Amino acid sequence: MNAASSPIVPLAQLLDHREREGQRVRFHVTEDWRQGRTMFGGLLSVLAVQAMRDVCGSDWPLRALQTNFVGPVTPGLVQVDVTLLRQGKNIRQVQAQILQANAEGQEEIAGVLLGSFGVGRESTLPTLSPPQVAVANSIEHSYPWPYIPGMTPPFTRHIEFRHAEGGVPFSGDNSWHSRTYVRLLDHAGIDSELQAVMLTDAGPTPALAQVRGYAPASSVSWALELRPVQIGQLDGHWRMDKDALAVGDGFVNEKTTLWTPCGQLAALGYQVVAVYA
């Protein structure tokens, strides 16, 4: 069975079937979470964060996550080794290594992540919450991205995308930004923190709008900063704003801003993307 025709397995089901042995957490990822020759990077990060929580505690919110995509991670058995690097009064620093067996059965490191968890505390600093800037189209008037087997990554069957503004990938448009409404279709049992991790990585780099015709792209590294938020409308659309900041030598430096359905800033993501065009 290929990825395009494989059954849809909700994120909650993947998480519910994880197994823990000491500092190692095992997940079994299905074909419908594939993105090219690897699995969706946002899911990879979600699995690592869940493993960090399992081993080191889930009492503090995630404030920052650094992800280096070392090699492709194929659907199947994915193992995450977690190490508590330091526990202070307010900050917990945790490392996760993504491990998968190669063709010879030897474990290889496929990803390295660093998570910073921080407890809230009283501060004399005033609160600063940036306003969400309006976009050209409302959710109802935004174009829904279709799922096209063989062209669209299989993982996108789990997420609704509605394009509101900016360039569409592979259209030859001269835009360097995109504004997209997104939501996890089966979000039952998935808290706002894990949804924010996944959705911030859900869309392609807006630089692909400059390309006419298909060209592959892959993430090299990803730095994510999160704000503890309340989703508001549980089945509502988040908004993913992506901007290419610098482009050259086949690499894109981009920024993603994720907003909750009620307009709160949820996350800032900074990514290096390799584009093979």
Side-chain angles (χ1 to χ4, degrees), residues 206 241-245 253-257 268-271:
D241 295 355
K242 300 182 76 71
D243 296 270
L245 304 178
N253 298 85
E254 68 169 43
K255 175 184 177 181
T256 303
T257 307
L268 297 167
Y270 302 89
Q271 195 159 183

Side-chain angles (χ1 to χ4, degrees), residues 104-117:
E104 289 74 39
Q106 298 176 328
E107 285 188 350
E108 294 182 335
I109 297 175
V112 179
L113 298 92
L114 294 173
S116 299
F117 297 79

